[in-house]
Amino acid sequence: MRASNAPTATCPYSGATLPAPSSGETTDQFAAEASPVAGTGVEAPVADWVTIPDLYENPFPIYQRMRSESPVHWVPAVNRYMVTSHAACHEIEQDEVRFSADENNSLMKRSMGHSMLRKDNPEHQVDRDSYGSTLRPGTIKKHWNEIFASNHEQYLGELLAKGPSADFVWDYAAPYTAENLRLICGFHNASQEDMQRWSQTMIDGTGNYADDADIWAKSAASSAEVDAAIDEMLPYLAKNPDHSLLSGLASMPIPLEAIRANLKMTIGGGLNEPRDVLATTVWALLNNPEQLEAVKNDPKLHAVAFEESVRWVAPIGMYPRETTQDVVLEGVHLPAGSRLGVVLGAANRDPKVFEDPEEFNIFRPKKPHLGFGGGVHFCAGTWIARAQVAQIAMPAIFDRIPDLRLDPSAASVDAGWVFRGMTKMPVTWG
Ligand code: HEM
């Protein structure tokens, strides 16, 4: 195993330091190992040229080179094998026997507890089933759409009041999606600002490879706040049920520990992604006027633009898995216990599947992207994300601010690779 605890690189989200090979494990040694293993595939090539800052700034040229060389590389800077081809990522998603989600020494488990996302079946399914029908299309149609529309009216109003210039992400997309998630979860005792703070600090914990005490302290403080909020809401919701996750969980025989972990994972995973896909889609449309015009003329295309955006810039760009046995993945040998990064951001731009994959193009032929994952961990919030972004927010934004444009005096910034989205998006109108 090429593993080490020596910290040497920077985490994309927290700015923390990530482990890389320990002294003595030179990249040349890795390269020397990249030779065929009889009957069991070849060793993964070593991508010692990949750095975390480069990935963070713009991973896509890196992914292009990696995919053209091999579907899998050992990447010292992230101390993982990075899997970049569509076929290899898809194979992992469909096979939880060989590729476990229950990663050893998972920082996510330390930060948020052992959620369904880091469990294999049968344990995973028990947790997943405990979410009941809250996130399903029927409940969204009957219940959530109206609430999302009302939240949208509020936060679009706040954006307009701030105008004629504002930041699309922080003045609108973030509070809107955080408020939706607050109600979906059932945190009637918290604010959307709490949701944003909890989400970011616990995500920072999941990336805290350098063991930074300050990051752990903030993550632990949020975790304790979430525990307290859950403890308060469960008895209340048992008596006053609603459509939220916590309300359903209040009457389920699920251990409190699992409820807490699953809610923390959902706070971490259900807020940034809709926020990021909303901003990325609008940014892409504003940069492609003919596609924007088509969307404005045919509201059905909002859903198409949303899906193309999730393909083009996967909001969850990479997630971990661990091999349970020696495997050969697309011809590459991986020893048992290998830590893998399933790089959806790269798989979704694989030219073997998508023509001109680097282009945002709502008119491309429909092909299955991997932006929502796949297999047993396929995103449970897919329909919620589609509803709040493509059905509610996007049509209203272009209807109410028909002359919305990117502010020519201030550049937008997109960043990240584990999570990727707009970190700054100044817009103007009027
Ligand atoms: C565009 C928005 C979203 C994207 C791109 C996205 C992406 C993903 C991906 C890739 C996974 C699988 C990760 C893995 O296998 O390790 C996942 C899982 C999950 N997502 Fe999402 N997500 C989005 C929105 C949401 C929302 C809004 C919620 C909740 C309200 C949510 C809840 C979940 C849950 C609970 C899981 C765990 C499923 C399981 O382990 O069975 N997601 N998501």
Side-chain angles (χ1 to χ4, degrees), residues 192-202 222 225:
Q192 59 87 4
E193 289 88 350
D194 291 328
M195 296 293 289
Q196 290 198 55
R197 182 169 45 79
W198 291 343
S199 176
Q200 193 55 60
T201 47
M202 289 190 296
S222 287
E225 282 181 46

Side-chain angles (χ1 to χ4, degrees), residues 280-358:
T280 300
T281 314
V282 170
W283 184 82
L285 288 171
L286 292 176
N287 275 311
N288 290 278
E290 71 299 343
Q291 296 187 46
L292 176 58
E293 209 42 44
V295 169
K296 281 182 175 171
N297 290 333
D298 180 1
K300 285 196 298 300
L301 291 177
H302 285 295
V304 179
F306 169 92
E307 223 60 51
E308 168 63 355
S309 174
V310 176
R311 179 204 70 81
W312 188 55
V313 180
I316 295 188
M318 190 275 280
Y319 63 75
R321 289 291 185 268
E322 194 166 295
T323 54
T324 58
Q325 52 191 266
D326 270 41
V327 300
V328 177
L329 179 64
E330 291 283 301
V332 178
H333 171 247
L334 299 170
S338 295
R339 287 158 73 89
L340 312 181
V342 181
V343 190
L344 302 182
N348 275 357
R349 292 190 183 202
D350 188 335
K352 288 195 179 130
V353 179
F354 303 101
E355 203 177 311
D356 290 331
E358 306 299 324

Side-chain angles (χ1 to χ4, degrees), residues 116-118 124 128 131 135 181 184 265-266 269-270 273-274 277 306 310 315-316 319 321 344 371-373 376-381 384-385 388:
M116 68 176 93
L117 201 58
R118 292 285 161 271
H124 156 266
R128 175 119 180 180
Y131 268 21
L135 308 177
L181 189 66
I184 291 163
M265 178 271 291
T266 304
E273 291 75 11
V277 76
F306 169 92
V310 176
I316 295 188
Y319 63 75
R321 289 291 185 268
L344 302 182
F372 288 108
V376 301
H377 293 281
F378 178 75
C379 175
I384 288 279
Q388 63 177 312

